[in-house]
């Protein structure tokens, strides 16, 4: 069995990262085989995944690069509302992308250092300005993953993407909602039977955006200066309409029990 995994990982590593948006047939078969192996036990299997001599990350980095390339091919750089092809992405790519995603999920679940390495690539701290945008509108891979996560009737792929993000965020449901936005996260969590914390709408603050507070409904980091500019540009009538809209919204949330609102 070790030899079978070794050949599969060699195939994944030696074949080029797909540039045309699809895996070679040999790579598809290699990922299907690799998905059936643990990455922890026995020790001979573990060292095939994560060599203890030479480059420890040679397999992890190649698998992630393939994952990144397939995600980029699936949804491109545009937001869902601007990209008509995004809705068809799961049908086109789920046979190839789902096994690759689940291999990474297993590696991250079983090795903290793998999760930390991939976390920095999906949510790079050097690009903090991205967190002022809605998750679905971010230009990097985190935005593309949210677009795939939120596609309705996407077969297995949106679920696999959700598993990837939740594992990446240490199975922290609140952090997952902060990173993706409540609306994008709710369908996945419901499908997986994962309870949504009742206090999530009250919680702001996420390590992904450093110390900047995050709107848990949209997943967007607050920018106080931007908020002040928007308020200054509004007329009195517009402010009154917005206040009325928020009042109605909170009344609905209050009645459903999601949050409890009291008059000050």
């Amino acid at each position: 069995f070790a030899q079978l995994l070794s050949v599969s990982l060699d195939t994944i590593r030696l074949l080029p990262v797909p540039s045309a948006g699809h895996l070679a047939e040999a790579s598809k078969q290699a990922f299907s085989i690799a998905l059936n192996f643990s990455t922890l036990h026995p020790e001979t299997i573990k060292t095939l995944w994560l060599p203890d001599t030479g480059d420890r990350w040679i397999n992890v980095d190649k698998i992630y690069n393939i994952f990144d390339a397939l995600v980029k091919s699936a949804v491109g750089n545009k937001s869902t509302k601007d990209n008509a092809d995004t809705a068809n992405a799961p049908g086109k790519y789920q046979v190839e992308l789902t096994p690759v995603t689940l291999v990474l999920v297993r590696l991250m679940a079983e090795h903290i250092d793998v999760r930390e390495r991939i976390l920095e690539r999906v949510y790079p701290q050097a690009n903090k300005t991205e967190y002022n945008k809605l998750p679905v509108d971010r230009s990097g891979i985190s935005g593309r993953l949210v677009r795939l996560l939120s596609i309705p009737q996407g077969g297995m792929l949106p679920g696999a993407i959700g598993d990837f993000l939740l594992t990446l965020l240490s199975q922290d449901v609140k952090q997952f909602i902060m990173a993706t936005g409540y609306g994008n996260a709710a369908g996945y969590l419901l499908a997986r039977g994962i309870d949504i914390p009742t206090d999530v709408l009250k919680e702001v603050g996420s390590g992904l955006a450093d110390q900047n507070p995050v709107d848990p409904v949209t997943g967007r980091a607050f920018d106080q200066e931007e908020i002040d500019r928007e308020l200054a540009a509004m007329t009195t009538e517009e402010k009154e309409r917005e206040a009325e809209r928020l009042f109605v919204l909170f009344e609905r949330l209050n009645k459903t029990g999601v949050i409890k609102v009291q008059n000050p």
Side-chain angles (χ1 to χ4, degrees), residues 73-101:
S73 296
V75 297
N77 294 313
K78 298 180 180 179
S79 66
T80 304
K81 62 180 179 294
D82 296 326
N83 188 355
D85 292 335
T86 302
N88 298 319
K92 293 180 180 179
Y93 291 94
Q94 70 172 318
V95 173
E96 300 170 26
L97 186 49
T98 300
V100 178
T101 304

Side-chain angles (χ1 to χ4, degrees), residues 1-2 5 37-49:
F1 287 109
L5 177 61
F37 282 86
S38 168
T39 70
L40 273 178
H41 306 293
E43 189 66 23
T44 53
I45 295 295
K46 178 182 176 181
T47 55
L48 286 175
W49 285 102

Side-chain angles (χ1 to χ4, degrees), residues 114-187:
V114 173
R115 183 184 62 78
E116 292 174 344
R117 187 174 181 87
I118 295 176
L119 181 66
E120 178 56 30
R121 297 190 66 176
V122 176
Y123 295 107
Q125 290 300 303
N127 197 16
K128 295 178 183 178
T129 57
E130 280 284 284
Y131 304 124
N132 293 329
K133 302 177 182 177
L134 293 171
V136 76
D137 290 332
R138 293 169 188 164
S139 60
I141 187 171
S142 65
R144 298 185 190 106
L145 291 174
V146 174
R147 289 167 225 161
L148 288 175
L149 172 69
S150 59
I151 295 173
Q153 299 179 341
M156 298 179 294
L157 183 54
I161 296 297
D163 293 343
F164 173 89
L165 289 170
L166 189 58
T167 304
L168 183 68
L169 298 169
S170 304
Q171 302 296 324
D172 187 324
V173 177
K174 291 182 182 179
Q175 194 83 332
F176 176 75
I177 293 172
M178 296 289 187
T180 63
Y182 181 88
N184 298 316

Side-chain angles (χ1 to χ4, degrees), residues 124-260:
Q125 290 300 303
N127 197 16
K128 295 178 183 178
T129 57
E130 280 284 284
Y131 304 124
N132 293 329
K133 302 177 182 177
L134 293 171
V136 76
D137 290 332
R138 293 169 188 164
S139 60
I141 187 171
S142 65
R144 298 185 190 106
L145 291 174
V146 174
R147 289 167 225 161
L148 288 175
L149 172 69
S150 59
I151 295 173
Q153 299 179 341
M156 298 179 294
L157 183 54
I161 296 297
D163 293 343
F164 173 89
L165 289 170
L166 189 58
T167 304
L168 183 68
L169 298 169
S170 304
Q171 302 296 324
D172 187 324
V173 177
K174 291 182 182 179
Q175 194 83 332
F176 176 75
I177 293 172
M178 296 289 187
T180 63
Y182 181 88
N184 298 316
Y188 164 78
L189 294 173
L190 180 63
R192 287 288 191 263
I194 300 172
D195 291 335
I196 299 173
T198 56
D199 61 342
V200 71
L201 294 178
K202 301 176 184 178
E203 299 237 349
V204 293
S206 167
L208 296 176
D210 199 13
Q211 298 303 312
N212 294 330
V214 175
D215 182 343
V217 176
T218 65
R220 180 186 179 188
F222 289 114
D223 184 331
Q224 189 59 49
E225 291 184 2
E226 182 179 346
I227 293 172
D228 291 341
R229 286 195 300 270
E230 290 177 355
L231 286 173
M234 294 174 68
T235 65
T236 301
E237 184 179 2
E238 288 172 334
K239 291 177 182 178
E240 290 175 352
R241 283 202 302 267
E242 182 66 12
E244 183 179 355
R245 185 186 69 83
L246 290 173
F247 175 79
V248 172
L249 174 61
F250 281 120
E251 278 295 298
R252 289 177 180 173
L253 292 172
N254 196 38
K255 289 178 180 178
T256 60
V258 174
I259 61 173
K260 292 298 180 184

Side-chain angles (χ1 to χ4, degrees), residues 21-90:
H22 293 284
L23 290 175
E25 195 61 38
S27 290
K28 294 179 188 178
Q29 295 177 6
F31 274 108
S32 295
I33 293 171
L35 186 57
N36 291 292
F37 282 86
S38 168
T39 70
L40 273 178
H41 306 293
E43 189 66 23
T44 53
I45 295 295
K46 178 182 176 181
T47 55
L48 286 175
W49 285 102
L50 299 166
D52 49 16
T53 58
D55 185 359
R56 173 177 173 79
W57 304 111
I58 190 169
N59 293 316
V60 171
D61 286 348
K62 182 58 180 288
I63 294 170
Y64 179 83
N65 289 340
I66 291 171
F67 172 76
D68 185 40
L70 289 174
V71 169
K72 187 177 294 184
S73 296
V75 297
N77 294 313
K78 298 180 180 179
S79 66
T80 304
K81 62 180 179 294
D82 296 326
N83 188 355
D85 292 335
T86 302
N88 298 319

